[in-house]
Amino acid sequence: MSTAGITENLQYAYWVPNVSGGLVTSNVEQRTDWGIDYNVKLARHAEEVGFDYALSQVRYLGSYGANSQHESVSFSLALLAATERLKVIAAVHPGFWQPAVLANLAATASEIHGGRFALNVVSGWLRDEYVKFGEPWLAHQDRYERSAEFLQVLRKILTEENVEFAGDHYRIRDYTASPRPAVVPELFQGGTSTAARRNGGLYSDWYFTNGASPEVIGEQIAEVRSHAESAGREVKIGLNGFVILEDTEKEAKERLREIVAGANTEAVEAFRSSVKEAGAATGDGKGMWAESSFEDLIQYNDGFKTGLIGTREQIEERIDAYRKVGVDLILTGFLHFDQELQRFGREIIGHDAGRAEPARERLLVSGAR
């Protein structure tokens, strides 16, 4: 089966600011609050203006200037309770969760919240988190092999009876969860390395990747989907992007210059040092942040690289370029979250919905699927 083709119905997500410090490591003003009250209001507004997903960050230590953080799973459940349509993805670390326990939690959350709970499995890049928790810090390849087993165990327990699994990291013996969820929680997996691409294609419903150009993303998508095709399955692609939407290109570029000029140099350099365990630790140099400049790291998932910076028309053109290489979801971040998320919803998501039918007709005429 082929998973290639132009994305017809693009979806949109936003980063939940459940970690202090905002989405850029800069001393520029960020009118964003990491508390629950602000985030409940933000989730409701996101739902109103057309966002499909929200992704709660996972962090247990202060890093890149973010000194405080709320735990991702419990925070996600609170946002689900406050909304009706929005799907909420909780990021989790293998090594800190036992996958069978997490599968049972996810099954219950799915039943309570109408199938809107999802998990994002992140293999970990911050060594100090594991050291402080007394957990072993594995080499890059080993971390992704553990994640591969973690994803397999989650899916088996969520979908099968009498589960047996014997891996290097996890073992399950004749276990059946009851009840299993009517709607199986979607499994996301993040990364850019060769190992991440393999896991994304073979075991995940969604592959999340850092920001990059359409050409670079297209190459990643081809590799991920080749793994999926080899296993007779399909996978969707999510792309991170930091949004600066202004009335003029000049205003948008000036906002970016202000963010970069206000960079917290000490925090960015500390982040750069920490993430050497990610990109630079891979054998082929394809890991996250392997080719990120100082400016790129100010938005800690390479969000500037995606180029969602400019007028509505410019951002729509850029989004269309990603749609053409097969991106299924844009994961957005903002400086002043509530204000700018709502504007993006009204001007980009709302306008995109109005363009969906003509776009679908163009695809059919061109023969793309």
Side-chain angles (χ1 to χ4, degrees):
M1 102 183 57
S2 176
T3 59
I6 300 173
T7 300
E8 185 176 329
N9 297 311
L10 193 69
Q11 294 182 284
Y12 293 91
Y14 73 93
W15 284 99
V16 174
N18 57 304
V19 173
S20 66
L23 267 287
V24 294
T25 309
S26 175
N27 296 317
V28 70
E29 180 188 14
Q30 299 186 65
R31 294 194 295 275
T32 296
D33 189 328
W34 59 286
I36 185 61
D37 291 340
Y38 179 89
N39 272 283
V40 164
K41 179 177 67 173
L42 183 65
R44 288 171 175 163
H45 289 164
E47 190 171 64
E48 289 169 3
V49 298
F51 279 84
D52 302 284
Y53 292 88
L55 171 60
S56 296
Q57 305 172 67
V58 59
R59 184 63 54 238
Y60 298 99
L61 289 179
S63 152
Y64 46 74
N67 296 320
S68 301
Q69 53 279 319
H70 289 294
E71 191 278 325
S72 60
V73 174
S74 52
F75 211 80
S76 297
L77 297 177
L79 298 184
L80 286 167
T83 55
E84 296 179 355
R85 184 189 60 81
L86 189 71
K87 298 176 183 178
V88 184
I89 314 159
V92 294
H93 282 124
F96 295 162
W97 284 92
Q98 208 284 349
V101 173
L102 183 61
N104 276 269
L105 185 158
T108 299
S110 179
E111 292 298 280
I112 292 172
H113 298 293
R116 295 186 291 125
F117 182 69
L119 292 168
N120 181 36
V121 175
V122 293
S123 298
W125 57 265
L126 186 54
R127 183 177 185 272
D128 283 353
E129 289 181 324
Y130 286 83
V131 170
K132 289 182 182 294
F133 282 6
E135 295 293 332
W137 175 246
L138 305 180
H140 182 276
Q141 186 64 31
D142 294 330
R143 294 200 301 276
Y144 279 87
E145 288 176 359
R146 177 172 62 187
S147 293
E149 292 187 12
F150 195 87
L151 286 159
Q152 291 174 77
V153 172
L154 285 174
R155 190 176 304 283
K156 281 179 172 291
I157 290 176
L158 290 167
T159 61
E160 299 178 14
E161 297 181 350
N162 307 113
V163 173
E164 298 279 351
F165 187 88
D168 293 330
H169 302 276
Y170 303 107
R171 288 171 175 77
I172 305 295
R173 298 182 177 89
D174 190 24
Y175 177 68
T176 300
S178 181
R180 293 194 303 280
V183 178
V184 177
E186 292 177 292
L187 299 180
F188 292 70
Q189 187 261 332
T192 62
S193 66
T194 298
R197 298 175 195 191
R198 181 177 184 275
N199 283 359
L202 295 180
Y203 308 120
S204 308
D205 299 305
W206 287 86
Y207 169 78
F208 263 147
T209 185
N210 274 8
S213 69
E215 294 75 21
V216 170
I217 295 302
E219 181 269 330
Q220 286 189 45
I221 291 172
E223 186 173 339
V224 171
R225 288 185 164 153
S226 70
H227 288 302
E229 288 185 11
S230 72
R233 61 190 308 273
E234 296 187 358
V235 63
K236 294 182 179 180
I237 309 297
L239 169 67
N240 179 62
F242 190 82
V243 178
I244 303 178
L245 170 61
E246 296 287 355
D247 293 335
T248 67
E249 181 181 7
K250 179 180 178 182
E251 290 174 306
K253 289 184 174 179
E254 180 57 34
R255 176 85 73 88
L256 177 60
R257 281 193 292 269
E258 290 173 357
I259 293 170
V260 172
N264 182 333
T265 302
E266 182 179 357
V268 176
E269 290 295 352
F271 179 58
R272 192 208 296 259
S273 178
S274 294
V275 299
K276 286 179 180 178
E277 290 288 347
T282 61
D284 56 11
K286 289 185 179 180
M288 291 194 297
W289 307 292
E291 299 182 0
S292 300
S293 67
F294 177 90
E295 179 176 317
D296 295 329
L297 294 174
I298 295 169
Q299 203 296 301
Y300 40 83
N301 284 99
D302 284 339
F304 298 153
K305 287 184 178 181
T306 306
L308 304 183
I309 298 168
T311 64
R312 189 198 76 191
E313 292 78 11
Q314 289 173 319
I315 291 175
E316 286 180 337
E317 182 178 353
R318 189 70 167 177
I319 288 173
D320 279 343
Y322 289 110
R323 191 196 307 266
K324 289 173 182 176
V325 298
V327 170
D328 298 286
L329 178 147
I330 303 292
L331 173 61
T332 58
F334 305 91
L335 192 67
H336 306 312
F337 242 92
D338 196 17
Q339 170 190 342
E340 295 182 16
L341 174 147
Q342 290 190 68
R343 180 178 179 180
F344 183 89
R346 291 190 302 268
E347 297 188 17
I348 303 294
I349 300 177
H351 193 238
D352 192 41
R355 297 161 64 227
E357 185 61 26
R360 188 186 74 83
E361 292 174 359
R362 287 196 302 273
L363 294 178
L364 292 174
V365 169
S366 69
R369 295 290 186 272

